[in-house]
Amino acid sequence: TFFNGPLYRRILLLWDTTHSLSTPSSSPSRKGNSSEETAPGKVITYDMFRWYWKKEMEPYDMSERFFRLLKQPEAEFVGRDDFSPYIKELLNDHPGLEFLSNHAEFQEKYAITVITRIFYSVNKCHSGRITSRQIRRSDLLSAFQQVDEEEDINKVTRYFSYEHFYVLYCRFWELDHDRDYRITREDLLKYGDHSLSHMIVDRIFDAAPRPFEGTSHIDGAGGKEEG
């Protein structure tokens, strides 16, 4: 399962932090997914796992457990970077993505696309912060469970399908005429041999959700992370 690595690091992070054994580099208040910075080679004992289970998992149902595992320990929401350790493990271990092992560029683009699809579907207010309630009302947990069990990645049509990613990427590449990884109004006006009017293109950009909090963008341009 691709939950094993992130779970291992999260248990060690919380154990070290709670028992005052952590270093500044493993503090949960650091920006990004600090659970990835735990020293390798450490062993989780039965007592450590039991402590973690009693504190973080046992009191909650499956949806809340998933939410608590994804988010940073002191946060009240799941951010975009919180998905990165899981997508990284998926790319490393899933048999349906093994062919990407020597293609770092496409691994990165696949990860960005998966995370963007998740936020587009789950975070409907487009705040860039997924709440426990949003996860509970979505199909995200079941999609994670499916991709964890299904060897054919393309059968997991919710978020993770490589075929879906490739279609999206190719379409984006066709529209991005200047190859700056941003779709501008001018790019979109060229679609279908200039088949879209200025009014239609303006409506598309006016209705498009804003980019994730913290990402830079140019006014009038739609990046791959925008809807």
Side-chain angles (χ1 to χ4, degrees):
T1 173
F2 66 102
F3 282 92
N4 286 348
L7 176 61
Y8 163 80
R9 291 186 288 270
R10 176 57 57 87
I11 293 173
L12 289 178
L13 173 70
L14 292 179
W15 175 269
D16 288 349
T17 302
T18 303
H19 293 78
S20 301
L21 296 176
S22 62
T23 63
S25 65
S26 64
S27 169
S29 63
R30 280 181 58 126
K31 186 176 180 181
N33 200 302
S34 54
S35 59
E36 287 195 295
E37 299 179 23
T38 305
K42 297 185 70 174
V43 175
I44 294 175
T45 65
Y46 170 77
D47 287 340
M48 292 166 67
F49 184 82
R50 185 174 183 274
W51 169 85
Y52 173 81
W53 180 264
K54 291 286 186 181
K55 179 178 182 291
E56 289 290 322
M57 297 285 114
E58 188 175 61
Y60 308 102
D61 63 13
M62 188 67 73
S63 177
E64 187 67 17
R65 290 172 184 175
F66 181 56
F67 172 71
R68 295 178 70 82
L69 185 58
L70 285 175
K71 73 180 184 69
Q72 292 299 296
E74 296 182 353
E76 297 298 327
F77 60 87
V78 178
R80 182 180 54 173
D81 291 342
D82 294 330
F83 287 101
S84 295
Y86 299 92
I87 307 303
K88 181 179 179 180
E89 294 289 335
L90 187 72
L91 284 162
N92 287 338
D93 298 335
H94 199 287
L97 296 172
E98 186 177 359
F99 68 97
L100 285 180
S101 60
N102 295 321
H103 301 279
E105 181 181 359
F106 270 89
Q107 286 185 342
E108 179 184 4
K109 289 178 172 58
Y110 173 82
I112 291 172
T113 302
V114 169
I115 294 171
T116 301
R117 291 183 68 188
I118 288 172
F119 271 85
Y120 183 82
S121 298
V122 178
N123 183 227
K124 296 185 183 299
C125 63
H126 305 296
S127 66
R129 299 181 173 190
I130 294 177
T131 64
S132 175
R133 183 180 181 184
Q134 288 172 344
I135 285 181
R136 189 175 299 278
R137 299 178 67 175
S138 74
D139 61 358
L140 186 59
L141 174 56
S142 61
F144 265 71
Q145 291 171 327
Q146 183 185 3
V147 77
D148 199 33
E149 299 169 358
E150 175 59 62
E151 291 191 359
D152 186 350
I153 194 75
N154 293 316
K155 289 184 179 180
V156 189
T157 56
R158 296 170 297 175
Y159 315 118
F160 295 101
S161 167
Y162 183 82
E163 288 180 348
H164 287 189
F165 151 73
Y166 194 70
V167 170
L168 286 169
Y169 178 77
C170 289
R171 180 60 65 189
F172 185 91
W173 188 257
E174 291 173 6
L175 293 171
D176 182 29
H177 293 279
D178 56 5
R179 302 294 181 253
D180 64 349
Y181 291 99
R182 309 191 70 80
I183 296 177
T184 63
R185 281 179 166 82
E186 288 70 27
D187 288 330
L188 203 53
L189 283 168
K190 298 174 183 177
Y191 173 75
D193 197 21
H194 297 82
S195 61
L196 299 178
S197 68
H198 285 271
M199 182 179 295
I200 292 174
V201 172
D202 287 342
R203 287 291 298 275
I204 291 172
F205 275 86
D206 290 342
R210 65 183 181 181
F212 293 132
E213 183 177 303
T215 58
S216 61
H217 69 287
I218 301 172
D219 290 339
K224 194 168 185 288
E225 294 178 354
E226 295 182 46

